[in-house]
């Protein structure tokens, strides 16, 4: 009977050793049983060795418990030593719009604006990676495809397709932007994702980044060199305390165009057609456009500012682009200004180390019995692509635009948002009468 009892005791202790019990508690229990004679010295030594071998330190137990997580940040995997990690995430934006315009550019409709799925993480502690694709529109397009190194103090190197350092609104993720679409000025003049190399430095309240890129993801060098560009951006936050932030920043980008391969004898530069959408998701025909012949290069300068005070915020950017084309030079420009107010008291997030603005996180999630967060926003944006252009190709388009956008957002939680926008765009064409576009837009959004 005693043999059976001891066997049962050892079996129970072995099971306990496999459970996430604190090391100090297990040591005290084994010592107590040994002192009372329940455990022989041989058994005591065997169990102590087994505990060290199978369970390890308390830190190891806690880490192993969290190797797989599924929460609002997506599905995450971590190695025991945290040297390797992966995070699977995505977002879905589905849009609806009622549109009325003078030129019949578009009617009422719906579309899947974004349907992204990706994986990101790190390997060997300091190396980063991200692979994300967008499946909207029954096509597959790469958004982010890069690797990076994060082993330096406050510095990061990224190689591949990713966002270039250009513009405050552009660097705000599409899941966190205030309106359904970015301003017409940001979309026109900021440099979006490119296949290139970037390096960034994050200070306590400032940041600096620079990048250089070639033409795209697939080869575009048949019979000629690919177009290339480079950009840099700095940001500074003289005030960044709790829910009060003052952001200042500036950026510069250069785009170089190589000579066309169509006619090697004349060695002409290619023409560039600049197009801009009026901040309406369902209008993709670009009612603002200009054509320039033999474009050599462009230099774009940007200024940015934002102020956040509790539930209030204001944000603005100004862009000027100098376009060098034969036989002259044009100066194009655009800007926007918008303000927001959180009706439920939340404040927009801000990272002073990178100079980027984040979205709102509800104080009381609607999915947990609260009412979520409500946000009201108003924006005015303007763009001028006239310059010394050669022509506007589309007779139903203009080369200047002014747009008002009124927005209302409801955040059920930090992953689910419903958006409503009213847009009124006035499109102008040099020497001709203006025409108007009005739209009411709705969006359902989920991100993880």
């Amino acid at each position: 009977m005693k043999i059976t009892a001891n066997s049962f005791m050892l079996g129970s202790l072995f099971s306990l050793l496999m459970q996430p019990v604190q090391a100090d508690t297990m040591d005290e229990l084994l010592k107590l049983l040994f002192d009372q004679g329940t455990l022989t010295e041989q058994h005591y030594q065997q169990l102590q060795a087994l505990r060290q071998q199978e369970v390890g330190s308390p830190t190891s137990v806690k880490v192993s418990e969290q190797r797989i997580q599924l929460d609002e940040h997506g599905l995450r995997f971590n190695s025991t030593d945290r040297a390797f990690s992966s995070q699977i995430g995505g977002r879905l934006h589905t849009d609806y719009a009622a549109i009325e315009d003078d030129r019949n550019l578009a009617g009422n409709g719906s579309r899947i604006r974004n349907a992204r799925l990706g994986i990101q993480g790190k390997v060997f502690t300091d190396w980063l990676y991200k692979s994300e694709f967008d499946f909207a529109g029954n096509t597959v397009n790469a958004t982010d495809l890069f690797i990076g190194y994060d082993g330096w103090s406050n510095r990061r190197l990224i190689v591949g397709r990713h966002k270039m350092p250009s513009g405050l609104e552009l660097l705000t993720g599409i899941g966190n932007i205030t309106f359904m679409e970015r301003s017409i000025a940001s979309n026109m003049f900021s440099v979006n994702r490119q296949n290139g190399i970037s390096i960034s430095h994050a200070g306590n309240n400032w940041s600096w980044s620079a990048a250089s890129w070639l033409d795209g993801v697939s080869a575009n060098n048949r019979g000629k060199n690919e177009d290339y560009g480079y950009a840099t951006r700095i940001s500074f936050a003289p005030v960044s305390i709790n829910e009060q932030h003052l952001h200042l920043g500036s950026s510069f980008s250069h785009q170089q165009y190589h000579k066309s391969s169509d006619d090697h004898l004349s060695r002409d530069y290619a023409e560039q057609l600049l197009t801009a959408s009026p901040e309406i998701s369902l209008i993709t025909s670009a009612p603002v456009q200009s054509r320039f012949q033999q474009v050599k290069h462009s230099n774009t300068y940007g200024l940015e500012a934002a102020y956040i005070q509790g539930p209030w915020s204001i944000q603005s950017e100004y862009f000027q682009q100098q376009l060098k084309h034969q036989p002259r030079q044009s100066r194009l420009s655009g800007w926007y200004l918008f303000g927001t107010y959180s009706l439920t008291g939340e404040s927009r997030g801000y990272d002073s180390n990178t100079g980027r603005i984040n979205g709102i996180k509800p104080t009381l999630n609607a999915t947990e019995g609260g009412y979520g967060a409500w946000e009201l926003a108003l924006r005015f944006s303007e763009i001028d692509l006239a310059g010394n252009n050669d022509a506007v190709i589309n007779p139903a388009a203009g080369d200047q635009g002014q747009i008002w956008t009124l927005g209302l957002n409801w955040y059920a939680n930090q992953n689910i948002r419903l958006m409503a926008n009213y847009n009124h765009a006035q499109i102008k064409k040099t020497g001709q009468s203006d025409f108007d576009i009005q739209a009411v837009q709705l969006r359902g959004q989920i991100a993880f």
Side-chain angles (χ1 to χ4, degrees):
M1 184 71 179
K2 186 172 182 181
I3 296 177
T4 304
N6 284 339
S7 300
F8 178 77
M9 176 74 70
L10 291 173
S12 300
L13 288 172
F14 180 81
S15 299
L16 282 174
L17 291 175
M18 298 300 102
Q19 303 301 316
V21 180
Q22 290 289 341
D24 292 342
T25 303
M26 182 55 67
D27 286 341
E28 293 174 1
L29 177 60
L30 293 177
K31 185 67 167 57
L32 177 63
L33 293 174
F34 174 68
D35 292 341
Q36 292 179 346
T38 306
L39 292 178
T40 66
E41 183 175 358
Q42 179 183 0
H43 289 154
Y44 175 70
Q45 296 296 337
Q46 288 176 345
L47 290 172
Q48 282 282 26
L50 183 63
R51 183 187 67 79
Q52 294 294 336
Q53 178 181 356
E54 298 293 339
V55 180
S57 66
T59 303
S60 300
V61 172
K62 293 179 181 179
V63 171
S64 63
E65 287 176 343
Q66 300 175 357
R67 281 187 292 181
I68 301 177
Q69 291 179 278
L70 177 61
D71 54 25
E72 66 272 13
H73 302 292
L75 180 60
R76 292 179 289 172
F77 304 87
N78 294 285
S79 63
T80 303
D81 59 0
R82 297 297 178 115
F84 296 82
S85 68
S86 293
Q87 177 182 346
I88 298 175
R91 61 176 59 93
L92 174 65
H93 297 168
T94 177
D95 292 358
Y96 308 87
I99 302 172
E100 180 179 339
D101 71 272
D102 299 340
R103 302 291 177 91
N104 295 318
L105 295 173
N108 304 338
S110 64
R111 70 182 294 208
I112 301 298
R113 178 63 172 85
N114 292 285
R116 299 184 185 182
L117 187 64
I119 182 171
Q120 62 181 327
K122 64 181 180 180
V123 294
F124 302 105
T125 305
D126 298 324
W127 292 91
L128 314 172
Y129 67 90
K130 184 175 182 180
S131 176
E132 183 186 70
F133 294 87
D134 193 343
F135 300 90
N138 294 323
T139 61
V140 179
N141 297 301
T143 53
D144 288 309
L145 288 171
F146 65 78
I147 60 174
Y149 182 72
D150 201 26
W152 300 309
S153 176
N154 299 322
R155 291 182 179 87
R156 175 176 292 182
L157 175 70
I158 297 180
V159 180
R161 179 174 170 81
H162 61 290
K163 283 186 177 181
M164 299 294 103
S166 176
L168 176 62
E169 191 176 31
L170 183 77
L171 292 174
T172 303
I174 194 168
N176 290 324
I177 59 175
T178 302
F179 300 90
M180 289 177 58
E181 297 293 328
R182 294 183 177 91
S183 69
I184 191 172
S186 292
N187 283 332
M188 183 69 247
F189 296 113
S190 295
V191 182
N192 208 322
R193 290 177 172 88
Q194 298 287 350
N195 185 13
I197 302 173
S198 71
I199 186 169
S200 59
H201 179 90
N204 291 329
N205 63 342
W206 64 277
S207 70
W208 170 83
S209 53
S212 181
W213 63 88
L214 289 171
D215 200 30
V217 176
S218 58
N220 189 26
N221 60 343
R222 185 173 181 178
K224 66 168 188 175
N225 294 323
E226 284 189 357
D227 299 336
Y228 70 89
Y230 50 86
T232 185
R233 176 180 182 259
I234 59 173
S235 70
F236 175 57
V239 177
S240 186
I241 303 174
N242 298 324
E243 295 183 351
Q244 182 183 18
H245 310 280
L246 175 61
H247 167 90
L248 301 173
S250 65
S251 62
F252 168 81
S253 65
H254 174 88
Q255 179 65 57
Q256 183 70 44
Y257 300 98
H258 283 287
K259 295 180 179 180
S260 172
S261 61
D262 295 335
D263 188 347
H264 292 285
L265 295 178
S266 64
R267 300 181 65 83
D268 287 338
Y269 289 88
E271 79 168 24
Q272 299 295 326
L273 177 62
L274 306 183
T275 61
S277 175
E279 303 171 9
I280 300 172
S281 171
L282 271 292
I283 293 183
T284 58
S285 56
V288 181
Q289 58 181 243
S290 278
R291 182 181 65 180
F292 298 89
Q293 298 284 356
Q294 299 192 47
V295 178
K296 292 184 176 181
H297 65 260
S298 66
N299 291 322
T300 304
Y301 304 86
L303 296 174
E304 52 192 66
Y307 181 68
I308 301 171
Q309 176 67 63
W312 297 91
S313 79
I314 188 171
Q315 178 176 325
S316 181
E317 289 185 80
Y318 173 79
F319 300 93
Q320 184 178 108
Q321 184 175 93
Q322 296 176 357
L323 196 67
K324 178 63 177 178
H325 58 104
Q326 298 286 7
R328 50 192 178 269
Q329 178 172 295
S330 291
R331 184 170 295 177
L332 317 177
S333 63
W335 65 280
Y336 73 84
L337 172 67
F338 74 74
T340 71
Y341 176 66
S342 173
L343 303 174
T344 46
E346 291 85 356
S347 182
R348 298 173 74 196
Y350 177 73
D351 186 352
S352 62
N353 296 332
T354 61
R356 299 191 182 193
I357 294 179
N358 303 315
I360 282 179
K361 294 182 180 180
T363 303
L364 300 172
N365 291 334
T367 52
E368 299 174 355
Y371 41 76
W374 291 85
E375 181 185 36
L376 190 64
L378 179 65
R379 178 176 67 195
F380 176 79
S381 56
E382 184 176 39
I383 193 170
D384 183 357
L385 300 182
N388 295 308
N389 60 7
D390 296 286
V392 176
I393 294 179
N394 187 349
D399 50 21
Q400 301 172 58
Q402 295 180 342
I403 306 170
W404 286 95
T405 303
L406 177 65
L408 177 65
N409 300 319
W410 177 62
Y411 302 79
N413 53 35
Q414 68 179 77
N415 301 90
I416 300 173
R417 175 165 60 153
L418 299 180
M419 309 177 71
N421 282 185
Y422 168 74
N423 300 77
H424 185 181
Q426 186 178 56
I427 310 302
K428 302 179 180 181
K429 189 174 182 179
T430 305
Q432 297 188 23
S433 59
D434 306 341
F435 65 95
D436 294 339
I437 305 173
Q438 298 184 68
V440 175
Q441 304 182 83
L442 300 175
R443 170 176 291 173
Q445 169 183 311
I446 183 170
F448 59 92

